Amino acid sequence: MSDSAPMKPFPAVEPRWRRRPNERPQEILDAALQVFAEHGLARARVEDVATCAGVSKGTVYLYFESKEELFREAIRDRIARTLEMLESATPPGDPVARLRRFIDAYWKHLRRPLFASMYRLILAELPQFPGFTRFYGEEVSDKVMELAAQIVREGVESGHFRAIDPTVAARMTVGLIVQHAIWTSHPTLFPRVGNRSDAELGDEITEFLLSALLPPGGARAGGDA
Amino acid sequence: MSDSAPMKPFPAVEPRWRRRPNERPQEILDAALQVFAEHGLARARVEDVATCAGVSKGTVYLYFESKEELFREAIRDRIARTLEMLESATPPGDPVARLRRFIDAYWKHLRRPLFASMYRLILAELPQFPGFTRFYGEEVSDKVMELAAQIVREGVESGHFRAIDPTVAARMTVGLIVQHAIWTSHPTLFPRVGNRSDAELGDEITEFLLSALLPPGGARAGGDA
Amino acid sequence: MSDSAPMKPFPAVEPRWRRRPNERPQEILDAALQVFAEHGLARARVEDVATCAGVSKGTVYLYFESKEELFREAIRDRIARTLEMLESATPPGDPVARLRRFIDAYWKHLRRPLFASMYRLILAELPQFPGFTRFYGEEVSDKVMELAAQIVREGVESGHFRAIDPTVAARMTVGLIVQHAIWTSHPTLFPRVGNRSDAELGDEITEFLLSALLPPGGARAGGDA
Amino acid sequence: MSDSAPMKPFPAVEPRWRRRPNERPQEILDAALQVFAEHGLARARVEDVATCAGVSKGTVYLYFESKEELFREAIRDRIARTLEMLESATPPGDPVARLRRFIDAYWKHLRRPLFASMYRLILAELPQFPGFTRFYGEEVSDKVMELAAQIVREGVESGHFRAIDPTVAARMTVGLIVQHAIWTSHPTLFPRVGNRSDAELGDEITEFLLSALLPPGGARAGGDA
DNA sequence: GATGAATGAGTATTCATTCAT
DNA sequence: GATGAATGAATACTCATTCAT
C-alpha cells in the first residue's frame, strides 16, 4: 500500500548516486503536504509543489499519476507512521502512566506543524476520496481510538480507573487532544486558546481527563511521577 | 430560529406569485451553504448554487458581488444565530442544570445537518478571509467559550463544581461537543463513533464532563432530573 | 431617416403632457452619445445610458431595438445637422470670406465637447456597420468635402485663389480642421497642441490655409475685415 | 525596420524545428495587432489572436499577463520604431529637401497596412490606459512634432521658408499627413480621397505644404531635384 | 408607458496534464 | 530521467435583452 512510486527491482550497489533518485518521491511528498496544507487540494498548484520540491512540473508526473494521487500519497505517507509511534510510546505498564504517555505522545505528535493542517485536509478534502476515507477510518482513526480504549480498559479492570465504558473514555481522550490541536493551530479562529503554551495545554488536558477517570476517592497516584 | 427571512405575518391574499424578490437572497444563501458544504469553496460552482436555488447564474450576481462574498454571507448567516440561541437556552439558575442545558443545546445545534459541514468550511476555507476569520474568532468562538466559562465560574463559586479554572473547563466542554459533532458527521472517517445515537452521545458527553467537574465526594445531584 | 422612435399618429392637443413623452427619445440619444463617447460602443453599458438619461433600462428598449441601433441613431442624430449648419454658415459671397466662415464654423462645430469624441466613435466603431458607414461617407463626409471644394472652385475661377485643384484644397482644409479637433480633444496623447486656445488654433489654421491658397503676389485682401 | 525578432544571421543547420520559443512573443504580438486592429480592444477575442498566431489560447498567457498587456505591448512594439525611422530619414541638409523627405517618409510609414488601423486603436482605446497615453504623448507624438518643427525652424532661419512659427508649421505638416492616412485607410467613410494613389496624395500634400511655407516670391527651388 | 428582476450567451483566465526535446 | 512549452477543458463573471408586473 505504501510503495506508490515505481521502484527499481535491484537498487544494487548505488555507486555514488548522482542525484539521489530514490529520495525524489519523498521530497515531492513533503513539498506536496506543505503546499496542500497551505492552500487546500483545489487551490494548490502542482507547479508550486514542484518548485517547492526543487524540481520541474513534469518531474512530479514522473512519480505520481495525478494531482489527486499525489494528495492521497502525501496524506498516507504521514498518517502511516502515527499509529506505530503511539504504540511504541505506550509500552505495557501502569495504566495511569500509560494514559499519560498516550496523551503526551499524541498531543506532541499533533502539535508538529504540518499535522494540524493535515487534519484540516483530512476533514476538508478526504470526503472526495471514498476509498481512501474508509482506509483512514479503519486503519488510522479506529486504531488510535482502540489503543486508547485498550489502555483505559486495562485501567478499569485493574481498578486504577473508575468503572467507565473504555470506548467512551477513549473518545473523550482523543477528542480533547485533537480538538485542542485544531484550536491551537488556528489562533485567529479560536483566540481563547492561543495564550497557553503547548506544555500547559497538555497538562490541562491530562489533568482534566484523569479527574474524570480516576476513581472518586482514589489516590491520584500513578503516572510517571 | 428558522424564520430568517422577514416574513409578513399574514400572507393573506397574495393571488399568484411568480416573483418573490424578498426571499431570493435567503433562498440563494441556503442553496449556497448546501453546495459549499458538499464541495468546498473552490470546487463548488456558482451555477450549481443557482440551480439548487432554482434561479439562473446571473441572478446570484444580482444579490452577491462574487462567489467569495456569497460564501462569507452564507456562513455569516448561519453563525449569527448560534450565540443568541445558546444564551436563551441557558437562563440563570442552578449551575449544574445550566451546564447540562448548555451541552444539550449546543450539541443539538451542531447536530443539525448543515452545521457540521459548516464547521468543516470554517476550518478549511475561512483562513482565506483574514477579516472574516477575526470576526468569527471574536464574535462567535470567543463568545461561546466565554458563556461556558461563565456557567462553570458560577458553579465553582457556589460550590456546585470543584475548584477548576473555568476557562479550562469551558474548553473541555466545548471541545468535546464540537469534536463529537465532527466525528458524527463523518461516519466513514470516524467509524467508532457512528454506532451511537445522538442522544446517547449527548448523555455520554454530559456525564463525562460532570464527572470531571463535580466535587470529588459531592452528591451527583443537580441537573434537570 | 430621423424618426427612429415610433410616433403616435395624432399628437392631438397635448393637454398638459405628463412627462413629455416625445422628448424621451432625444434625452436617451443625448445620454447615449455621452456614454458611448466616454467608453466606446463595446464597453458602454445600456444601463449607464439609461441612468444617465434618468430612465430605466427597459425604457431604452421601448424606443430602440438594440444597443447597436441606439448607437447608430445617436451618431446619425448628431451628424445630420452638420451639413445644414455649414451651408447656412457659408452663404454665397466673396470666396475668401466664405472660406474663412467655413473654417470658422466647422472648427467651432468640431470643438463642441461631444463632437470630437464622436469623431473618435465614427473612426473606431462605424466600420462595424457597413451600411451606416456608406451613409456617412456619402451623406456627410462627401458633402462637407464638396462644400469646401465648391467654395475654393469659385475662388479659383474668380481669381481670388491661385490655380489649385479645388478637391485637393478642400481636403487640406477639412483635414487640418478635423485633425486639430482630434488633437485638441486628446491633450494627453498630443500635448504639443494643448497650450493654444481654440481661437488661436482657428486663426492659425485659417492663415496657414490662406497662405497656401491666395495667389503668390496677390493682395491678402478679402475676408470679413 | 522589419526584422523585429532577433534573427540569427546564419540559420545554418537547425535540422527539424517544432518549437521556436524565441519567436513566439513576436508572432503573438503581430497577430494581436492584426486582430485588435480589426475589432478593437473590447471586441477582439484572445482566442482569435491565438488562432491567428497559430498557437492555443493558453500559450498567449504564457507570454503576456492579460489581454490588456498584450494590447499595450502590441502597440508599443510598433510605435517604438517610428521616431528612429523618421530621424534616419531626415539627415541634416537643405531644409526644403529635408521637409520633403520627412513628409515622404512619414506618409509611407503611415500607409503601411497596420499603421493606419493602429492609429485608430490609439485614438479609440489608449485613453483607457492613462500611463500609456502619457508615454505615447511624450515619447512619440511630441517627438515627431518636434522633429518637424526643427526642420522648419532651420528653414526659416536660413530663409528657405517664410517667417512662420515652426511649431505651427509642424502641426500643419503632421496633421495633413496623419489625416490623409486616416482617410485613405477608411475608403468607405471618406470616399472622396479614395480615388487617388498614394503617390499622388503624397505629392499633393508636399506641394500644398510647400506652397504655404516657401517665401511668397521665393524660388520654388530646393528639394531633391 | 415604465420598471427592474431574471436570464443565459459570451469571454478572459487558470492550471492539470502531455510530450518533444 | 528531467524539462518546460504547449494545450484546452473548466468556470467566474458581465451585460444585452426580455417580460411579468
Side-chain angles (χ1 to χ4, degrees):
Chain A
M1 185 180 300
S2 58
D3 53 346
S4 51
M7 204 171 285
K8 280 148 280 158
F10 290 90
V13 201
E14 304 240 354
R16 281 151 294 163
W17 33 284
R18 300 207 174 168
R19 241 174 179 183
R20 309 157 298 152
N22 305 26
E23 303 184 9
R24 271 285 146 79
Q26 188 60 49
E27 286 168 358
I28 293 172
L29 285 174
D30 290 346
L33 200 59
Q34 229 173 89
V35 175
F36 286 135
E38 192 170 354
H39 298 105
L41 172 56
R43 299 179 64 91
R45 293 165 29 182
V46 173
E47 172 129 42
D48 289 344
V49 173
T51 304
C52 181
V55 299
S56 81
K57 230 179 341 171
T59 305
V60 174
Y61 285 88
L62 235 44
Y63 294 102
F64 302 94
E65 284 280 317
S66 69
K67 187 188 180 185
E68 297 206 340
E69 196 209 302
L70 176 59
F71 178 76
R72 276 198 304 274
E73 292 303 322
I75 299 281
R76 192 200 311 274
D77 177 59
R78 284 294 163 124
I79 61 187
R81 294 192 277 266
T82 300
L83 187 68
E84 186 184 339
M85 179 280 298
L86 282 179
E87 279 173 341
S88 73
T90 55
D94 171 63
V96 178
R98 269 191 100 193
L99 187 65
R100 283 184 183 275
R101 284 196 218 98
F102 177 89
I103 297 169
D104 184 57
Y106 200 24
W107 172 242
K108 287 207 175 95
H109 187 65
L110 295 189
R111 287 303 298 135
R112 295 190 312 170
L114 270 178
F115 248 89
S117 49
M118 222 193 60
Y119 199 84
R120 211 178 87 209
L121 288 178
I122 290 169
L123 225 53
E125 319 273 15
L126 240 53
Q128 297 167 47
F129 307 92
F132 190 27
T133 300
R134 188 166 309 109
F135 161 79
Y136 179 84
E138 291 166 6
E139 296 301 316
V140 183
S141 148
D142 248 29
K143 298 244 163 110
V144 168
M145 212 73 104
E146 176 53 29
L147 174 59
Q150 186 54 34
I151 292 171
V152 174
R153 187 172 297 118
E154 286 173 18
V156 170
E157 282 164 5
S158 66
H160 286 83
F161 294 139
R162 68 178 175 92
I164 185 174
D165 180 338
T167 69
V168 170
R171 248 190 285 124
M172 304 299 158
T173 304
V174 171
L176 284 181
I177 297 168
V178 169
Q179 192 60 35
H180 273 78
I182 293 174
W183 282 336
T184 318
S185 58
H186 292 89
T188 316
L189 278 172
F190 310 105
R192 275 297 153 114
V193 187
N195 50 8
R196 298 290 225 270
S197 73
D198 274 13
E200 284 171 321
L201 290 171
D203 288 348
E204 287 169 8
I205 295 168
T206 305
E207 293 317 313
F208 188 85
L209 286 169
L210 287 180
S211 77
L213 293 178
L214 293 178
R220 304 253 156 161
D224 297 295
Chain B
M1 186 182 305
S2 59
D3 52 345
S4 48
M7 203 173 288
K8 287 149 253 155
F10 290 87
V13 205
E14 305 250 357
R16 320 137 266 157
W17 263 10
R18 227 154 298 177
R19 306 242 194 109
R20 301 147 302 162
N22 299 8
E23 305 184 6
R24 275 287 140 82
Q26 189 61 48
E27 287 168 358
I28 294 171
L29 285 174
D30 290 346
L33 200 58
Q34 233 174 84
V35 175
F36 285 135
E38 191 170 354
H39 298 104
L41 173 57
R43 299 180 65 89
R45 294 171 22 182
V46 172
E47 175 132 39
D48 289 343
V49 172
T51 305
C52 180
V55 299
S56 80
K57 219 179 353 162
T59 303
V60 174
Y61 286 92
L62 229 46
Y63 295 101
F64 302 93
E65 285 277 321
S66 67
K67 186 187 180 184
E68 297 206 341
E69 196 209 302
L70 175 59
F71 178 78
R72 277 197 303 272
E73 292 303 318
I75 299 280
R76 193 200 311 275
D77 178 58
R78 285 293 163 126
I79 61 186
R81 290 188 283 271
T82 300
L83 187 68
E84 185 183 341
M85 179 279 298
L86 282 178
E87 280 174 341
S88 72
T90 54
D94 172 63
V96 178
R98 269 190 101 191
L99 188 65
R100 283 184 183 277
R101 286 198 216 96
F102 176 90
I103 298 169
D104 184 57
Y106 200 24
W107 171 242
K108 286 206 175 95
H109 187 67
L110 295 188
R111 286 303 299 136
R112 296 190 313 168
L114 273 177
F115 244 89
S117 48
M118 223 193 60
Y119 200 84
R120 211 178 89 207
L121 288 178
I122 289 169
L123 226 53
E125 320 272 15
L126 240 53
Q128 295 168 49
F129 307 91
F132 192 24
T133 300
R134 189 165 309 110
F135 162 79
Y136 180 83
E138 290 167 6
E139 296 302 314
V140 184
S141 149
D142 246 29
K143 297 244 164 110
V144 168
M145 211 73 105
E146 176 53 28
L147 175 59
Q150 186 53 33
I151 293 171
V152 174
R153 188 171 298 120
E154 285 174 19
V156 171
E157 282 164 6
S158 66
H160 286 83
F161 294 139
R162 70 177 174 93
I164 185 175
D165 180 338
T167 68
V168 170
R171 247 191 285 125
M172 306 297 160
T173 304
V174 171
L176 284 181
I177 298 168
V178 168
Q179 192 59 36
H180 273 78
I182 293 173
W183 282 336
T184 319
S185 59
H186 295 278
T188 317
L189 277 173
F190 310 104
R192 275 297 153 113
V193 187
N195 51 7
R196 298 293 225 270
S197 73
D198 274 11
E200 283 172 321
L201 290 170
D203 287 348
E204 287 169 9
I205 294 168
T206 305
E207 293 317 313
F208 188 84
L209 285 169
L210 287 179
S211 78
L213 292 178
L214 292 177
R220 304 254 156 157
D224 297 295
Chain C
M1 185 179 302
S2 59
D3 52 346
S4 50
M7 204 171 286
K8 280 148 289 163
F10 289 91
V13 199
E14 304 242 354
R16 283 150 293 165
W17 33 284
R18 300 206 174 169
R19 243 178 178 179
R20 309 157 298 150
N22 304 27
E23 303 183 9
R24 272 285 146 80
Q26 188 59 50
E27 288 168 358
I28 294 172
L29 285 174
D30 290 346
L33 200 59
Q34 229 174 88
V35 175
F36 286 136
E38 192 171 354
H39 298 105
L41 173 55
R43 300 180 65 91
R45 293 165 31 182
V46 172
E47 174 128 42
D48 289 343
V49 172
T51 304
C52 180
V55 300
S56 82
K57 227 178 346 169
T59 304
V60 174
Y61 284 90
L62 234 44
Y63 294 103
F64 301 94
E65 283 280 317
S66 68
K67 186 189 181 184
E68 297 206 340
E69 196 209 302
L70 175 60
F71 178 77
R72 276 198 304 274
E73 293 302 321
I75 299 281
R76 193 201 309 276
D77 178 59
R78 283 294 164 125
I79 62 188
R81 293 192 279 266
T82 299
L83 187 68
E84 187 184 339
M85 179 280 297
L86 281 179
E87 280 173 341
S88 71
T90 55
D94 170 64
V96 178
R98 268 191 102 191
L99 187 65
R100 280 183 186 276
R101 284 196 217 98
F102 177 90
I103 298 169
D104 184 59
Y106 200 24
W107 172 244
K108 286 207 176 94
H109 187 65
L110 296 188
R111 286 304 298 137
R112 296 190 311 168
L114 271 178
F115 246 91
S117 50
M118 222 194 59
Y119 199 83
R120 210 178 89 207
L121 289 179
I122 290 170
L123 225 52
E125 320 272 15
L126 239 54
Q128 296 168 48
F129 307 93
F132 191 27
T133 299
R134 188 165 308 109
F135 161 79
Y136 179 85
E138 291 166 7
E139 296 301 314
V140 184
S141 148
D142 247 29
K143 297 245 163 111
V144 168
M145 211 74 104
E146 176 52 31
L147 175 58
Q150 186 53 34
I151 292 171
V152 174
R153 187 172 298 119
E154 285 172 21
V156 170
E157 283 164 6
S158 66
H160 287 82
F161 294 139
R162 70 177 172 92
I164 185 174
D165 181 339
T167 67
V168 170
R171 247 190 285 124
M172 304 300 158
T173 304
V174 171
L176 285 181
I177 297 169
V178 168
Q179 192 60 36
H180 273 78
I182 294 174
W183 282 337
T184 319
S185 59
H186 292 89
T188 316
L189 277 174
F190 309 104
R192 274 299 152 112
V193 187
N195 50 8
R196 297 291 225 272
S197 72
D198 274 12
E200 283 171 322
L201 291 170
D203 288 348
E204 286 168 9
I205 295 169
T206 305
E207 294 316 312
F208 188 85
L209 286 169
L210 287 180
S211 78
L213 293 178
L214 292 178
R220 305 251 156 160
D224 297 294
Chain D
M1 187 183 304
S2 59
D3 52 346
S4 49
M7 201 172 289
K8 287 148 254 155
F10 290 88
V13 206
E14 307 250 355
R16 318 137 268 155
W17 264 9
R18 225 152 301 177
R19 307 243 193 109
R20 300 148 302 163
N22 299 8
E23 305 185 6
R24 273 288 138 81
Q26 189 61 48
E27 287 168 357
I28 293 171
L29 284 175
D30 291 345
L33 201 58
Q34 232 174 86
V35 175
F36 285 137
E38 192 171 354
H39 298 104
L41 173 57
R43 298 181 64 89
R45 294 171 23 184
V46 172
E47 175 132 38
D48 289 344
V49 173
T51 305
C52 180
V55 299
S56 80
K57 224 178 350 164
T59 303
V60 174
Y61 285 91
L62 229 48
Y63 296 100
F64 301 94
E65 285 278 319
S66 67
K67 186 187 179 183
E68 297 207 339
E69 196 209 303
L70 176 59
F71 178 77
R72 276 198 303 273
E73 291 303 318
I75 299 280
R76 193 199 311 274
D77 178 58
R78 285 294 163 125
I79 61 186
R81 290 188 284 269
T82 299
L83 188 68
E84 186 184 338
M85 179 279 297
L86 281 179
E87 279 173 340
S88 71
T90 55
D94 171 65
V96 179
R98 270 190 99 192
L99 187 65
R100 282 184 185 276
R101 285 196 217 96
F102 176 89
I103 298 170
D104 184 60
Y106 200 24
W107 171 243
K108 286 206 177 94
H109 187 65
L110 295 189
R111 286 305 296 135
R112 296 190 313 168
L114 273 177
F115 245 90
S117 48
M118 224 193 58
Y119 200 82
R120 211 179 88 208
L121 289 178
I122 289 170
L123 226 51
E125 320 273 16
L126 238 54
Q128 296 168 47
F129 307 92
F132 192 25
T133 299
R134 189 166 309 110
F135 162 79
Y136 179 84
E138 291 166 6
E139 296 302 313
V140 184
S141 149
D142 246 30
K143 297 245 163 110
V144 169
M145 212 73 105
E146 176 53 29
L147 175 57
Q150 187 53 35
I151 293 172
V152 174
R153 187 171 297 120
E154 285 173 18
V156 170
E157 282 164 5
S158 66
H160 287 82
F161 295 139
R162 70 177 174 91
I164 186 174
D165 180 339
T167 67
V168 170
R171 247 190 284 124
M172 304 300 158
T173 305
V174 172
L176 284 181
I177 298 168
V178 169
Q179 192 60 36
H180 273 77
I182 294 173
W183 281 337
T184 319
S185 58
H186 294 278
T188 317
L189 276 173
F190 310 104
R192 274 298 154 113
V193 187
N195 49 10
R196 297 292 224 272
S197 72
D198 274 12
E200 283 172 321
L201 290 170
D203 288 347
E204 286 168 8
I205 295 169
T206 305
E207 294 316 312
F208 188 85
L209 286 169
L210 287 179
S211 77
L213 293 178
L214 293 178
R220 305 255 154 160
D224 296 294

